[in-house]
Amino acid sequence: MTPAPPRDDTRTLATVAHTAFFLLLGASLLRFLLRHPGEPRTPWIIALSITLALLYVLGPALGAAPTARRLLWLGLVVTTWVVLVVLAPSFAWCAVPLFFTALRTLPPRAAVVLVALLTGFVVIAQLKLSKSFDPNLLLAPPAVAALATAVFVHMERQAQAQRALIDDLIRTRRELAATERREGTLAERQRLSMEIHDTLAQNLSSQQMLLQAADRTWDTDPATARAHVRTATGIAAHGLAEARRLVHDLAPSELADGAGLAEALRGLDAGPGIEVRFHLEGTPAPLPDRVQSALLRIAQGALANVREHSGARTAALTLSFLGDQVVLDVADDGHGFAEPRTDTAQRGHGLPAMRARVRQLGGALTIESTPGEGTVLSAAIPLEPAP
């Protein structure tokens, strides 16, 4: 929930102060008229009371900032009140709301000085009204002034702290939104890079290999060359469909129309000269779309690595349903390697893309390879227990 603006408390305090001022002004005027009927100074008292009320009404229209007009207005209000108190000391208690007006208008030090002067004037006026010395008249006004000043300063500090907190929250919210946008952009870029690598780049690579093979056999074996060209044309059509699906963020074309993951894996190939075999183990269970897409892309990426790096003649895809997880193994009989590698410097999205896909689904990717004995890539993804 968004905290209430600190200005609400300031408006409430201002409303209370304004109401108290007019009540005290009206009560002081009524007291004077009742106790001093028919005195020559009565018209002056009434005129000054009306003037002071009108001046006070103009205050909110000038704002709370210490501008030149606001300072002039405060000087006129204080001067009018001083003259009124000189003529009728009973108006001295109107100074209490003026304390808040001074504190809201002036800088802290100047406001405290003005409050002290007004308090001294109130003490003098009250002692003038008293027929005998009364300690309360000497101590009560300073106590009231000190209490009013302390309450206002405390509220103002709380308001400033609350404003600072709100500013920090707004700034933090904006920074968080910006971070989320950046993370979303990076995630989308990573997704697109993986999709492009696993579909378009692999299709282009296959086409290149087929067209190169067709070029080498074009004169000696035209039939085989044309077969390579037709296969490359089919791969190009498949790549175009994948590109359109990628633009619309759809599932892989192999999984379209309700085709299952097993059927999609069974239809994969690694290019000319490499035999791909598919094995299904365990009882097939329904898989979420994102799991099927990830495993299919991993299989495509693994076969692309087999074609380009392994020198293998056969590759085996094994999809195993183990109850609480599904495992995809891709094994080849290529030359293998001594240390696991993430990919060549030129293509740096193969194995990292597979690891990213598996990691997003909470799984694990392992690679085992021995020189001269081929390579086995295994992707294990946990499954939610069936209800």
Side-chain angles (χ1 to χ4, degrees), residues 24-381:
L24 290 172
L25 181 63
S28 299
L29 178 60
L30 181 61
R31 180 180 182 278
F32 176 82
L33 293 177
L34 292 176
R35 295 201 173 187
H36 307 281
E39 286 199 7
R41 54 179 175 166
T42 299
W44 288 101
I45 298 298
I46 296 175
L48 288 172
S49 299
I50 296 175
T51 301
L52 183 58
L54 293 176
L55 285 173
Y56 197 88
V57 168
L58 292 176
L62 300 176
T67 60
R69 291 191 303 173
R70 177 77 176 180
L71 296 177
L72 177 61
W73 168 83
L74 180 60
L76 292 175
V77 169
V78 172
T79 302
T80 305
W81 173 79
V82 169
V83 174
L84 191 58
V85 173
V86 170
L87 295 177
S90 58
F91 284 85
W93 285 108
C94 293
V96 176
L98 293 181
F99 293 163
F100 291 99
T101 302
L103 290 168
R104 292 179 64 240
T105 303
L106 299 174
R109 292 185 179 180
V112 171
V113 172
L114 181 58
V115 168
L117 294 175
L118 294 178
T119 303
F121 202 76
V122 170
V123 171
I124 295 173
Q126 293 302 308
L127 291 176
K128 184 179 179 181
L129 283 176
S130 178
K131 297 180 179 180
S132 60
F133 177 76
D134 188 348
N136 287 334
L137 299 180
L138 183 62
L139 300 177
V144 172
L147 178 61
T149 302
V151 169
F152 182 87
V153 170
H154 177 70
M155 292 184 62
E156 188 64 21
R157 288 177 178 174
Q158 281 190 326
Q160 290 177 356
Q162 190 176 7
R163 283 194 291 268
L165 177 60
I166 292 175
D167 291 340
D168 289 341
L169 290 175
I170 293 174
R171 182 168 54 255
T172 302
R173 183 184 299 173
R174 290 175 180 171
E175 292 175 354
L176 179 60
T179 301
E180 290 177 348
R181 286 194 296 269
R182 286 194 298 270
E183 291 179 350
T185 301
L186 292 175
E188 182 64 12
R189 290 177 63 181
Q190 183 183 29
R191 184 190 71 83
L192 290 175
S193 68
M194 292 189 298
E195 293 289 341
I196 291 173
H197 173 270
D198 293 340
T199 57
L200 303 182
Q202 292 176 13
N203 287 337
L204 290 173
S205 177
S206 298
Q207 293 174 55
Q208 182 184 32
M209 294 179 62
L210 289 167
L211 293 176
Q212 288 174 348
D215 182 64
R216 289 192 299 268
T217 61
W218 191 265
D219 295 329
T220 59
D221 191 354
T224 301
R226 291 190 182 92
H228 288 331
V229 172
R230 286 193 295 270
T231 303
T233 302
I235 293 175
H238 180 269
L240 179 60
E242 284 292 342
R244 290 171 176 169
R245 289 178 177 275
L246 178 60
V247 170
H248 296 287
D249 195 21
L250 299 177
S253 58
E254 293 86 352
L255 298 175
D257 301 326
L261 177 61
E263 289 77 5
L265 294 175
R266 187 175 285 111
L268 296 180
D269 67 83
I274 303 177
E275 180 185 1
V276 179
R277 302 168 184 171
F278 174 74
H279 305 279
L280 179 63
E281 297 183 357
T283 303
L287 298 176
D289 292 341
R290 60 180 188 150
V291 173
Q292 296 190 71
S293 298
L295 290 176
L296 177 60
R297 295 306 189 203
I298 290 171
Q300 291 173 329
L303 291 178
N305 287 341
V306 170
R307 178 178 65 245
E308 298 180 17
H309 306 301
S310 72
R313 304 184 70 84
T314 61
L317 298 178
T318 304
L319 181 65
S320 305
F321 289 88
L322 305 179
D324 60 344
Q325 65 177 348
V326 59
V327 180
L328 172 67
D329 296 315
V330 182
D332 66 72
D333 59 356
H335 50 65
F337 48 89
E339 295 293 337
R341 59 188 180 185
T342 57
D343 217 334
T344 63
Q346 289 79 12
R347 286 178 54 88
H349 286 286
L351 295 179
M354 298 180 200
R355 288 194 176 95
R357 291 183 186 278
V358 173
R359 191 184 306 115
Q360 290 173 358
L361 298 172
L365 182 74
T366 58
I367 302 173
E368 298 178 359
S369 183
T370 302
E373 298 184 8
T375 303
V376 178
L377 179 147
S378 180
I381 298 177

